[in-house]
Each structure stands twice: as C-alpha cells, then as structure tokens.
Amino acid sequence: WVSGMTNMRFARVLFAALLGCVGGCGGRIAGDDIEFVYTVENAPSGVFSFETRTVVEQDVSSHHGSLTSVTLDVVSPSGATLAFISDAEASAMVGGAYTQLVTLTNVPHVSTVPLDIVFHGDLLPFFTDGHTIRVRWTGHLDPTFGPLPAGGITVRCRIGISS
C-alpha cells in the first residue's frame, strides 16, 4: 500500500519541470528536476502500487521533454535501505495502454539507487488531451526482508526532465 503527495502538487511540479521553470513555481524544483515522496507500507500480497492522474490547467501541447534521470532514496526511517524492494517500475497511460518509462531490478541494499530509463522519447504524447498524464507506479516487496517497520518506509523519487 502506498500513500503519496496529492495529484495537484504533482501536477504543478511536473508542469513546471516540463516548461523548464525554476524557483517559485510551486512544488520542489531544482532546474528541471522534480521530486515527490511516498510511503510504502506492508502489503499482504507483496505488491505495492499507486497511480497518479495528473491534470494541469494550462495546455502543455507545445512543450516537449524527456526523462534524463529517475532516482529513489529512503527518507525515513533513518538508516533504512531500499532492500525491502524486489523490483519496481513506472508506466504512463496513453491510448488505453501503458508504456513503461522506468524499471528497477536487482535492488542493492543501499539508501539511494537510480532507476533504468527505458522510454527515452518525448513525454508530450502522454498528455493525451494537452492537460492530463496518468502514471502507474508498481513494485514487489522482497519477501526475504520481512515486515516493514510500523508506519512503513518513506521513499523520495527524484525525476530529471530535459526541456
């Protein structure tokens, strides 16, 4: 089970990043980098998953960008690593089908890890109406890790987007 930031904040951050906005645009931005934080909790099925359906007010149909980096790092509890994750991926919805954007396999027992970018194209087509993008984040908990601590493990995802 995953709890995360609101879609509205993610929308402002993603839109600002696609436009190359810096500074006081809303959200957490450094150049074209964006970030969001979510908490992974114990799941009886061993699967964690959430989907964001992001709607931005302004039309982004004339703005282009591609992924340059995607990194996960543990925020809390202190000293935790990503050893609890067996694998993860993010896919974006377009035309009723998902396109895989990034993957994570063979997760090392460290607190920060880059994901493999598998989609190197323009993100614009995923804004199907010029305003909306849907991204599904899924993964499996490593069954050898054991139960997650009470309150789960909070992970930050940092995304670099070229303009």
Side-chain angles (χ1 to χ4, degrees):
W1 307 100
V2 179
S3 56
M5 62 188 278
T6 66
N7 288 346
M8 188 61 114
R9 180 170 172 229
F10 183 72
R12 288 194 310 265
V13 172
L14 182 57
F15 179 69
L18 285 172
L19 294 180
C21 184
V22 179
C25 299
R28 299 190 53 135
I29 304 168
D32 287 345
D33 292 341
I34 59 174
E35 68 180 49
F36 64 94
V37 175
Y38 61 91
T39 299
V40 179
E41 298 178 14
N42 285 306
S45 66
V47 175
F48 62 91
S49 177
F50 73 99
E51 184 171 286
T52 58
R53 180 178 178 270
T54 303
V55 179
V56 294
E57 292 179 16
Q58 295 174 295
D59 188 340
V60 297
S61 61
S62 63
H63 302 283
H64 301 273
S66 60
L67 294 171
T68 58
S69 64
V70 180
T71 304
L72 290 180
D73 65 280
V74 175
V75 174
S76 67
S78 179
T81 70
L82 293 165
F84 69 96
I85 297 176
S86 175
D87 60 75
E89 73 172 52
S91 302
M93 168 73 80
V94 65
Y98 284 96
T99 298
Q100 191 176 59
L101 302 176
V102 297
T103 63
L104 177 63
T105 57
N106 302 318
V107 182
H109 294 191
V110 296
S111 61
T112 301
V113 66
L115 280 71
D116 296 318
I117 298 172
V118 295
F119 181 80
H120 298 279
D122 188 359
L123 296 172
L124 182 60
F126 297 107
F127 285 87
T128 55
D129 61 359
H131 298 276
T132 308
I133 185 171
R134 292 175 60 184
V135 177
R136 177 180 60 192
W137 296 83
T138 59
H140 294 92
L141 299 174
D142 185 336
T144 65
F145 184 81
L148 299 180
I153 297 178
T154 301
V155 178
R156 174 178 35 233
C157 181
R158 294 181 177 168
I159 303 169
I161 300 177
S162 68
S163 314

